[in-house]
Amino acid sequence: LWDETRGVFNEALVFKGVVETPQEKWFETYSAHDLVAVPCPCPQLGIDWARQQAETPNTLYDYRGAWSVLYRGDWQDGHRLYCTEHEIQALTRAGLNLFADPHRGTHPHDLWRVCAAFAH
């Protein structure tokens, strides 16, 4: 999730949990990327929520949830986030209600479908 105003990417990373990465470092780290603007009714609410997750020391990476993607399981932990959960929760809080239950059973393809719908 790119907070362009503050110049940071807010992301959920293995071994680190939810962190904010300065955009210069993020662009250096990831040589291939696609940035997709997803219109939301209240984008600042999603950005504020994501920032709060990075500032909360106990927001850890959801390893079980990430592994559940392989098995289409429902093992997500409400107190932890993996990358897809993080993005979908931010979009949901920004008012984009495209997910049947954004708190359980999210899959990277869910996020990909949203981005594909708005990519130009």
Side-chain angles (χ1 to χ4, degrees):
L1 180 68
W2 187 15
D3 183 346
E4 190 174 7
T5 304
R6 293 182 45 244
V8 297
F9 279 89
N10 187 292
E11 54 188 334
L13 299 174
V14 175
F15 305 123
K16 294 184 180 182
V18 178
V19 298
E20 288 191 330
T21 305
Q23 65 188 23
E24 296 81 15
K25 182 177 179 182
W26 192 91
F27 284 116
E28 288 173 8
T29 303
Y30 305 105
S31 60
H33 53 271
D34 289 318
L35 299 177
V36 177
V38 178
C40 298
C42 306
Q44 193 59 48
L45 292 177
I47 290 171
D48 290 346
W49 175 84
R51 185 176 186 183
Q52 180 184 17
Q53 300 311 301
E55 293 172 351
T56 302
N58 63 348
T59 304
L60 303 173
Y61 193 83
D62 186 2
Y63 295 97
R64 276 185 13 162
W67 275 103
S68 76
V69 168
L70 298 173
Y71 307 103
R72 298 258 182 202
D74 195 15
W75 301 334
Q76 278 86 358
D77 180 332
H79 303 288
R80 297 171 177 248
L81 298 164
Y82 69 92
C83 52
T84 301
E85 289 175 316
H86 177 264
E87 300 301 319
I88 288 175
Q89 288 293 329
L91 289 171
T92 299
R93 283 172 171 73
L96 191 65
N97 297 314
L98 298 177
F99 312 101
D101 185 355
H103 304 286
R104 309 280 292 158
T106 58
H107 190 276
H109 283 142
D110 298 328
L111 187 58
W112 181 85
R113 286 182 192 106
V114 169
C115 292
F118 294 104
H120 292 71

